[in-house]
Amino acid sequence: MVDEIMLVAIDEDINDSDIVALQDHLAEEVHANDAQGIVIDISALEIVDTFVGRIIAQLAGIGILLDAPTYLVGMRPAVAMTLVELGMTLPSVKTARNLQHAVTRLRASR
């Protein structure tokens, strides 16, 4: 956690059970630490499937419900294209080019 912002990095070798555990852990940590925002770094992901796409959307939804705006950073062009091809435009997910850009936006929105 940096400056009341929860930082989460999703590893390339994360499996389905790890992602579900991450979802549960993130919700608990955001609540326990009164996080003012969440940044999810997916730069390690070279590909995504519908399950990972749904989890990303759910993580953002958790942030919204816990009043912690959520930014997704590090998205590769191939990942963006795959998500669009799967019909997953993730309208509730804010994006930023990188971690610094997301943190700057979160700080400005306070």
Side-chain angles (χ1 to χ4, degrees), residues 11-108:
D11 294 327
E12 68 177 315
D13 60 349
I14 195 163
N15 61 42
D16 292 356
S17 62
D18 290 341
I19 273 201
V20 171
L22 170 64
Q23 184 178 355
D24 294 339
H25 183 70
L26 179 65
E28 291 297 325
E29 288 296 311
V30 167
H31 177 71
N33 293 297
D34 194 28
Q36 301 300 303
I38 303 168
V39 177
I40 303 169
D41 182 356
I42 63 166
S43 60
L45 297 179
E46 293 186 27
I47 58 170
V48 295
D49 57 15
T50 54
F51 180 75
V52 173
R54 280 195 328 269
I55 292 298
I56 290 168
Q58 289 172 356
L59 291 172
I62 288 168
I64 290 167
L65 291 174
L66 294 176
D67 195 27
T70 303
Y71 278 87
L72 190 64
V73 300
M75 186 177 301
R76 297 171 188 240
V79 170
M81 291 186 320
T82 300
L83 289 171
V84 170
E85 288 171 1
L86 293 171
M88 304 186 78
T89 56
L90 307 173
S92 65
V93 178
K94 296 176 187 173
T95 59
R97 288 179 296 247
N98 55 46
L99 174 63
Q100 184 59 45
H101 191 218
V103 170
T104 299
R105 285 183 172 180
L106 284 166
R107 286 177 178 157

